[in-house]
Amino acid sequence: MNKQPIIKRQPREATTADQTRAALVHAALKLFGRQGFHGTSTREIAAEAKANIGSIAYHFGGKEGLRAAAADYIVDTIQGIAGQALGGAQAAPPLDPEAAQAQLFAALERMVGFVVASPQAGEIVQFVLRELSHPTAALDRIYAGVFEPTHRRLCQIWEQATGEPAESEATKLTVFTMIGQVIYFRIGREAVMRRMGWRGIGNEEAAKVVAVTTGNLRAMLAARGPAAGRKGKS
């Protein structure tokens, strides 16, 4: 009697569980950002995710665990985007000034592409703004996983581009300014669209934001000397 080959299949339950977990995280991200943690019930989250209310306790141990999972999702998402633009923060090879300047321009363009034009960024920014207004352990996770390492890496690249010390007060504030101008186009999105007469902000509008923000970066580098401002000229 010939033996039939054993075909290993991924259990259907595991796939369904993963889908339910992801749906709950996205629902929590959306509702916590829009209504706040205390203003959102587990019943609302389950309904948004089209899941059984008991699945929140099953997968996350409760509402607090779900908030932590939403924070981890933000960290994973932004780490992936930042990693492509900036490289690893640890043991990153030093760049010559021209390469460092090019990386700053590339990072700024990628930042605008995600923060300004990506629909996904809206829910992430809204969630983070809630956490910044009323800090919890979720903000600790986001700060340690995204804010601090990404800002530190940008400061390192700024030092390589300009010669100004990465951990100086001036460099830290400069990098915050560079990031802040991009974030405004997300948090002030409605005001920007009304003032600009835009019906939305997609790739075409984002390209116009890139032109202005990279022009600002070019001017900041030029203020440090002719060599620093050379990269990025049209």
Side-chain angles (χ1 to χ4, degrees), residues 21-192:
R21 182 182 175 88
L24 287 168
V25 169
H26 282 92
L29 186 70
K30 177 180 179 179
L31 294 177
F32 288 160
R34 181 190 298 170
Q35 303 171 185
F37 181 77
H38 296 294
T40 302
S41 69
T42 52
R43 190 172 300 279
E44 287 177 299
I45 296 168
E48 178 71 26
K50 296 180 175 56
N52 188 295
I53 191 170
S55 60
I56 295 175
Y58 176 79
H59 288 288
F60 306 101
K63 189 175 166 185
E64 194 67 60
L66 181 52
R67 174 162 60 180
D72 290 341
Y73 169 81
I74 291 171
V75 170
D76 291 343
T77 299
I78 299 181
Q79 277 183 348
I81 294 166
Q84 294 173 7
L86 303 176
Q90 301 298 324
L95 301 170
D96 61 55
E98 186 171 325
Q101 291 155 27
Q103 193 163 26
L104 286 174
F105 281 99
L108 190 58
E109 289 184 29
R110 187 173 290 271
M111 198 185 308
V112 171
F114 176 71
V115 173
V116 177
S118 167
Q120 181 187 24
E123 294 176 356
I124 289 177
V125 170
Q126 204 166 33
F127 182 98
V128 172
L129 286 174
R130 286 271 185 183
E131 285 295 319
L132 289 170
S133 299
H134 304 284
T136 70
L139 180 61
D140 295 337
R141 299 166 92 99
I142 296 169
Y143 179 82
V146 175
F147 286 171
E148 196 275 342
T150 302
H151 186 272
R152 186 180 295 276
R153 178 65 183 134
L154 281 168
C155 288
Q156 291 171 351
I157 298 171
W158 183 264
E159 177 178 351
Q160 293 163 5
T162 66
E164 298 175 358
E167 290 302 299
S168 70
E169 184 177 83
T171 295
K172 290 178 185 177
L173 290 173
T174 297
V175 169
F176 274 127
T177 300
M178 188 171 71
I179 296 170
Q181 65 175 335
V182 177
I183 297 297
Y184 178 79
F185 284 96
R186 172 55 67 176
I187 63 176
R189 186 181 185 85
E190 189 60 36
V192 170

